Amino acid sequence: MKSGRKWNCILQSKWTFMVPSLTGTFVFAVLPFLEVLRRSLWDEKKNFFSVVNYANLWENEAYRLAVKNTVKFVGVCIPLLLVLSLALALGLFQSRWMKFLKSALLLPMAVPTAVVVFVWKLIFFKEGFLNMFLGLFSLKPVDWLGGEAAFFVLVISYIWKNMGYTMVLWLAAMAAIPKEMLEAAKVDGSNGIQSIHFMVLPSLKPAFYTITIVSFLNSFKVFREAYLVAGSYPPKTMYLLQHLFNNWFINLELGKISAGGVTMAVVFVFVTLLLQRMWDKPE
Amino acid sequence: MKEFLYIKGKKIRKICLRYLGDIILLGAALLMCFPILLLLTGVVKSTGELKDGLAPILGIGEGRIHWNLLPLYPTGEHLMDILLFKPQFHVVFWNSMKITACILAGQLFLAAPMAWGFARFSFPGKKVIFTLYVILMLMPFQVMMLPSYLILNAMDILDTHMAVILPAMCSTLPVFLMYQGFASIPKECIEAAQIDGADNWQVFMHLGLPLGSGGILSAMVLGYLEYWNMLEQPMTFLKTTAKFPLSLFLPQISMEQAGMVLAASLIMLVPAMFVFFAGQDYLEQGIAVSGLKG
């Protein structure tokens, strides 16, 4: 009887709800990450607290290439994605076929990357659809999968996949604009473009920051497309951080990989904290 | 009369403008769905037609590829072939199903109570732990690759399905999505139940789960699409080909077997499409929450 009550007391404690998840998080994420942090600060001669791994990282040409490509990719993709998806969302917002069009635009998000690899090859092949299409305007065919242009295959894949997602984020932000405000503007005689310019866009400003950050975080998933289209050793312009990490991993260069991981983690923690400050700001 | 025409002209222009937007949107939607259209038309083509059409890619011909949107002789041979005569395909398909189902079940058991904890209880360090969860939710795989490897190696479960399932099960994204669902339950509702003598678990099971089901379903739909498509983790932690999920197996089929690639792709697409259309509302809810915090 007494022990039964004790058990019930433990079961009812709020910690019973949280201990399983907390244990999982600490075992699979926090503790191993601390171990990696320790390793990154350890050089071969077992001197604690040396920055030799980080210094090696910076001198590594492959690392600089991967960072450069990643930064370039983020710099090109995110503005493009934000503008295109905002334009689509503004159109959808006033469209009568909203439900149907939204499904169609969101669909690519659900399509597994492996499924489109074959189709990507058809489209981006030297004699493929995209070049045939460009041929209609008598433009020169481009070797999409080989040379410099491989970068654009990544950009197109990323935009194709994330367009619907970002659009839904914009639409959610637009749904928060009070309907009365828009109707009042209509009664006062403003046309569609005026009300977009003076009312919709300004009220999307807080959403703009968070959508930018979320898109940035998602852009690191583009490795899947890069890997499936071009394999482990892609053209130089497509070489991303994940390729580099995979190659280090195969060669067991744990010092480099831990220093690289920690550096990235620092960037991500910074971006995340920024995102949280956006959320906490009263609107 | 003149004035009438003027008004009419203005009206026509207005209607045109109105439809123009929709037509552009429709064009964009078609463009987005074009790859899927290619897949659907390809899978019913005969082997001969595929081979002729793709000759330049396969390196056995010159010139451009041909791809009739309407196949010459529609056939179901590739689908039949893969379903009846390719046992390894079945193994891989069920590997994928097993991995995805285990991850989602695990997430349900770990994340739902935790999310309830964040939404309903106050405890020391809550703010710090919540921030930690948000940071972990957003970490890309590159960062977690070596840490996961170290712990999986220490547990001696590399190259088993567990190596893929366990870390994904402890992902913190579902906690966040479910938290948003639970946090929107009115406080009075729960207080009323507590006054009537319900204990913590009764409140959770009978009030929390039904009222927060939107958030839970969002997490499940987003999770399904994510893990069905999972590539980096199995690539790093699995070595044996027989344990591969579909997403790793599919790219290994060579282009010469175009029919098989197309059929396998289609079969991989079907469950994802089913979940997408069945759960689209929850999916949109989940996306909105993940970006805009409810």
Side-chain angles (χ1 to χ4, degrees):
Chain A
M1 184 66 205
K2 209 172 177 188
S3 84
R5 246 166 91 187
K6 199 172 145 199
W7 274 112
N8 198 34
C9 192
I10 292 173
L11 186 71
Q12 289 302 332
S13 142
K14 53 192 172 189
W15 292 105
T16 324
F17 283 84
M18 297 184 284
V19 163
S21 172
L22 286 174
T23 318
T25 307
F26 274 85
V27 170
F28 284 102
V30 178
L31 295 181
F33 184 77
L34 291 178
E35 167 68 12
V36 168
L37 186 65
R38 187 187 66 85
R39 279 173 187 243
S40 76
L41 293 168
W42 210 288
D43 72 0
E44 269 112 62
K45 288 167 220 118
K46 303 282 174 233
N47 287 326
F48 191 49
F49 230 81
S50 92
V51 287
V52 86
N53 283 321
Y54 292 90
N56 282 343
L57 200 64
W58 194 239
E59 280 164 20
N60 189 308
E61 209 169 308
Y63 181 74
R64 283 205 302 232
L65 176 69
V67 169
K68 199 187 95 196
N69 279 343
T70 307
V71 169
K72 193 171 129 198
F73 176 74
V74 169
V76 170
C77 272
I78 290 184
L80 206 59
L81 179 75
L82 289 179
V83 170
L84 285 175
S85 61
L86 178 61
L88 283 179
L90 284 173
L92 265 188
F93 189 51
Q94 291 164 332
S95 170
R96 274 147 302 146
W97 307 329
M98 175 150 162
K99 183 100 191 145
F100 165 74
L101 287 172
K102 200 156 66 170
S103 300
L105 290 167
L106 198 56
L107 193 70
M109 190 200 154
V111 177
T113 311
V115 169
V116 288
V117 174
F118 181 82
V119 177
W120 255 212
K121 282 182 184 153
L122 287 185
I123 292 177
F124 294 111
F125 184 62
K126 223 172 170 182
E127 320 284 331
F129 285 110
L130 189 57
N131 279 338
M132 269 151 88
F133 180 72
L134 291 180
L136 292 180
F137 305 99
S138 39
L139 291 168
K140 261 213 301 223
V142 182
D143 184 11
W144 294 103
L145 294 175
E148 293 279 302
F151 180 72
F152 290 98
V153 176
L154 273 190
V155 174
I156 293 173
S157 305
Y158 172 77
I159 299 223
W160 181 73
K161 200 156 180 89
N162 287 283
M163 178 75 90
Y165 185 96
T166 319
M167 196 186 69
V168 169
L169 288 175
W170 284 121
L171 282 172
M174 286 177 196
I177 303 172
K179 278 242 155 53
E180 295 78 30
M181 208 167 92
L182 292 175
E183 266 157 28
K186 217 175 198 171
V187 170
D188 288 346
S190 83
N191 62 27
I193 293 169
Q194 278 171 336
S195 63
I196 285 174
H197 184 246
F198 290 108
M199 317 198 56
V200 179
L201 289 184
S203 31
L204 290 180
K205 214 169 157 194
F208 169 75
Y209 299 120
T210 49
I211 293 176
T212 310
I213 292 173
V214 171
S215 308
F216 168 75
L217 298 169
N218 275 334
S219 68
F220 283 80
K221 286 188 185 159
V222 81
F223 165 74
R224 285 179 187 168
E225 277 83 2
Y227 174 74
L228 289 173
V229 171
S232 298
Y233 297 95
K236 240 180 158 181
T237 50
M238 232 191 201
Y239 193 77
L240 298 173
L241 280 166
Q242 181 72 47
H243 290 110
L244 179 70
F245 277 48
N246 281 350
N247 294 340
W248 281 344
F249 190 74
I250 292 165
N251 301 331
L252 285 175
E253 299 192 68
L254 297 187
K256 278 183 191 158
I257 204 174
S258 47
V262 171
T263 315
M264 265 186 89
V266 170
V267 174
F268 267 79
V269 168
F270 179 72
V271 174
T272 312
L273 292 177
L274 206 68
L275 180 67
Q276 255 204 337
R277 277 201 50 195
M278 302 287 165
W279 280 344
D280 288 341
K281 232 191 315 193
E283 273 149 39
Chain B
M1 191 63 195
K2 222 175 175 184
E3 196 170 304
F4 172 71
L5 273 180
Y6 173 70
I7 291 173
K8 207 176 165 195
K10 209 174 166 189
K11 213 171 183 181
I12 290 172
R13 216 174 59 196
K14 208 173 164 189
I15 290 173
C16 276
L17 264 177
R18 200 137 123 227
Y19 280 99
L20 186 71
D22 282 345
I23 287 165
I24 292 173
L25 282 172
L26 199 65
L30 279 178
L31 199 66
M32 299 286 268
C33 295
F34 179 67
I36 299 165
L37 190 72
L38 280 182
L39 185 71
L40 290 177
T41 56
V43 77
V44 289
K45 283 173 189 258
S46 64
T47 315
E49 196 185 345
L50 280 172
K51 207 169 181 179
D52 282 347
L54 301 178
I57 295 191
L58 302 174
I60 49 172
E62 292 284 307
R64 295 186 167 163
I65 56 173
H66 310 284
W67 193 275
N68 305 324
L69 282 184
L70 288 172
L72 293 175
Y73 309 104
T75 156
E77 59 175 305
H78 306 305
L79 280 171
M80 293 297 281
D81 181 54
I82 207 165
L83 287 177
L84 296 177
F85 304 114
K86 293 282 185 294
Q88 75 269 41
F89 178 77
H90 289 263
V91 172
V92 174
F93 181 85
W94 290 110
N95 280 346
S96 258
M97 274 289 176
K98 179 186 152 195
I99 291 175
T100 314
C102 288
I103 291 175
L104 291 185
Q107 286 188 345
L108 196 60
F109 282 108
L110 290 179
M114 186 70 213
W116 183 252
F118 274 134
R120 290 293 150 206
F121 302 135
S122 58
F123 51 92
K126 180 170 165 179
K127 220 174 162 174
V128 176
I129 296 178
F130 193 75
T131 306
L132 177 75
Y133 268 58
V134 173
I135 289 173
L136 287 175
M137 149 180 127
L138 299 170
M139 275 299 166
F141 179 67
Q142 285 95 314
V143 174
M144 292 319 291
M145 184 171 163
L146 186 60
S148 300
Y149 175 81
L150 291 177
I151 188 77
L152 294 172
N153 192 27
M155 292 168 90
D156 203 20
I157 52 171
L158 281 171
D159 199 24
T160 65
H161 284 154
M162 271 305 172
V164 180
I165 295 170
L166 282 178
M169 226 165 84
C170 302
S171 154
T172 57
L173 176 65
V175 177
F176 186 74
L177 294 173
M178 291 174 188
Y179 163 78
Q180 299 292 345
F182 290 144
S184 61
I185 300 173
K187 230 188 177 120
E188 293 77 25
C189 213
I190 286 153
E191 275 162 10
Q194 277 165 344
I195 289 167
D196 287 346
D199 60 37
N200 276 341
W201 281 95
Q202 278 169 334
V203 172
F204 174 63
M205 298 299 281
H206 298 291
L207 270 177
L209 289 184
L211 291 177
S213 60
I216 296 174
L217 284 170
S218 300
M220 295 287 112
V221 172
L222 271 172
Y224 182 84
L225 296 178
E226 169 71 21
Y227 297 118
W228 188 244
N229 189 15
M230 179 155 76
L231 179 76
E232 294 93 336
Q233 293 87 337
M235 204 170 108
T236 318
F237 301 135
L238 298 179
K239 287 272 165 306
T240 321
T241 327
K243 288 175 186 158
F244 279 5
L246 254 179
S247 48
L248 262 184
F249 171 78
L250 205 50
Q252 290 185 332
I253 315 174
S254 73
M255 281 295 268
E256 270 99 64
Q257 294 169 293
M260 191 175 157
V261 179
L262 285 166
S265 304
L266 186 68
I267 294 173
M268 186 177 182
L269 186 63
V270 169
M273 286 297 104
F274 177 75
V275 169
F276 175 76
F277 283 111
Q280 204 193 338
D281 291 339
Y282 295 111
L283 180 68
E284 282 171 24
Q285 236 173 53
I287 294 173
V289 163
S290 73
L292 303 167
K293 206 193 172 195

